[in-house]
Amino acid sequence: MEVKQSAFAGSYAKETQCPRDGKPEYAFIGRSNVGKSSLVNMLCKRKGIARISRTPGKTQLLNYFLINEEWYLVDLPGYGYAKISKKKRQEWQRMIRTYLKTRYTLQSAFVLIDSNVPPQEIDLEFMNELGAEQIPFSIVYTKADRLKVHELEENLEKIRAAILEHWEELPPEFISSSNTGRGRAELLAYIHQVNQQYFEHHDDL
Ligand code: GTP
Ligand code: MG
């Protein structure tokens, strides 16, 4: 699949405000600063469609991007940003939980994990939450351009081992770099395949 068209579709503070047109959607989620917005831009081949920041915690809303007038990419606010108040963090948790639990068109979540850092408890906890809610997810390892091939593979092995302490098998994984475009074709092919299954059952779309 190629992205022929991409457009910012809106930002919403809660699930009840999100589009109701039944199009399939895919959510990017992960720690603050992991590279979610950069990945949206990379997939769309548009530098500024999603806002990127050196300051973590930039994305505070559910940001929707309509791709090829067919499906949505959703850039979710990052978790684990230390400098926000406890109250804000609880608000975030409530918003994301409600979104994930109730979003009827969500096909899959992509949990973004920084390929440069050792396994993080907060990522593992988040994956466990998705599992408890039976939400299908894949992993996208981000910023793969920053490490040498063997360093990358060593760190990914550590992360995989940590995941396997909680899970019987690994979820589908993608290795990506928003700088080089690595992983783009694989991610789009995966989304295309899931979309095809969805459209087979929704021929009104
Ligand atoms: P929040 O919205 O704050 O949760 O952050 P985010 O997950 O959307 O991260 P964002 O895309 O804003 O990127 C954070 C920082 O990481 C920026 O300085 C990016 O330039 C950098 N970055 C993102 N992706 C890559 C990548 O593939 N390679 C490298 N080297 N840097 C990256
Ligand atoms: Mg962002």
Side-chain angles (χ1 to χ4, degrees), residues 36-37 51 58-59 75-76:
K36 298 176 292 296
S37 302
R51 251 182 254 159
K58 186 95 187 161
T59 312
D75 183 14
L76 299 179

Side-chain angles (χ1 to χ4, degrees), residues 86-100:
K86 198 175 166 194
K87 185 164 172 279
K88 274 247 171 247
R89 189 165 318 155
Q90 284 171 344
E91 273 172 30
W92 178 90
Q93 281 185 336
R94 200 173 313 131
M95 173 172 90
I96 298 298
R97 274 207 195 108
T98 310
Y99 166 83
L100 292 170

Side-chain angles (χ1 to χ4, degrees), residues 1-7 9 19 21-26 64-73 105 107 188 191-200 202 204-205:
M1 171 173 49
E2 198 31 84
V3 174
K4 296 188 207 91
Q5 206 178 31
S6 57
D21 55 13
K23 291 186 169 71
E25 75 187 42
Y26 300 84
Y64 273 68
F65 303 90
L66 179 61
I67 313 296
N68 294 345
E69 293 188 2
E70 244 178 20
W71 54 279
Y72 290 109
L73 256 184
T105 47
Q107 303 305 301
L188 290 175
I191 291 171
H192 179 70
Q193 184 201 323
V194 180
N195 275 345
Q196 291 310 106
Q197 288 169 11
Y198 183 84
F199 292 135
E200 269 176 32
H202 296 80
D204 51 320
L205 284 171

Side-chain angles (χ1 to χ4, degrees), residues 42-188:
M42 185 267 259
L43 291 178
C44 296
K45 284 196 176 161
R46 286 177 61 180
K47 283 230 150 60
I49 191 165
R51 251 182 254 159
I52 298 173
S53 166
R54 278 178 203 282
T55 323
K58 186 95 187 161
T59 312
Q60 299 286 356
L61 297 162
L62 307 161
N63 291 316
Y64 273 68
F65 303 90
L66 179 61
I67 313 296
N68 294 345
E69 293 188 2
E70 244 178 20
W71 54 279
Y72 290 109
L73 256 184
V74 188
D75 183 14
L76 299 179
Y79 50 78
Y81 179 45
K83 285 188 194 152
I84 58 169
S85 64
K86 198 175 166 194
K87 185 164 172 279
K88 274 247 171 247
R89 189 165 318 155
Q90 284 171 344
E91 273 172 30
W92 178 90
Q93 281 185 336
R94 200 173 313 131
M95 173 172 90
I96 298 298
R97 274 207 195 108
T98 310
Y99 166 83
L100 292 170
K101 262 192 195 175
T102 57
R103 191 59 183 151
Y104 69 114
T105 47
L106 180 67
Q107 303 305 301
S108 179
F110 289 97
V111 178
L112 275 63
I113 294 185
D114 191 334
S115 65
N116 295 244
V117 298
Q120 303 285 306
E121 199 53 45
I122 195 164
D123 291 327
L124 297 165
E125 275 169 27
F126 189 73
M127 284 186 256
N128 289 344
E129 259 191 55
L130 289 173
E133 297 293 342
Q134 295 187 303
I135 295 159
F137 67 92
S138 308
I139 293 180
V140 180
Y141 292 109
T142 63
K143 310 187 187 182
D145 57 280
R146 284 194 178 163
L147 292 176
K148 297 203 178 85
V149 177
H150 70 276
E151 292 170 337
L152 177 68
E153 204 38 57
E154 256 169 47
N155 199 44
L156 294 189
E157 273 309 309
K158 284 187 194 147
I159 300 173
R160 291 181 190 119
I163 295 171
L164 287 173
E165 285 175 19
H166 301 260
W167 294 79
E168 276 179 21
E169 52 185 305
L170 292 166
E173 65 171 43
F174 301 89
I175 299 171
S176 81
S177 161
S178 296
N179 284 3
T180 66
R182 179 170 180 185
R184 185 175 186 276
E186 291 84 355
L187 270 163
L188 290 175

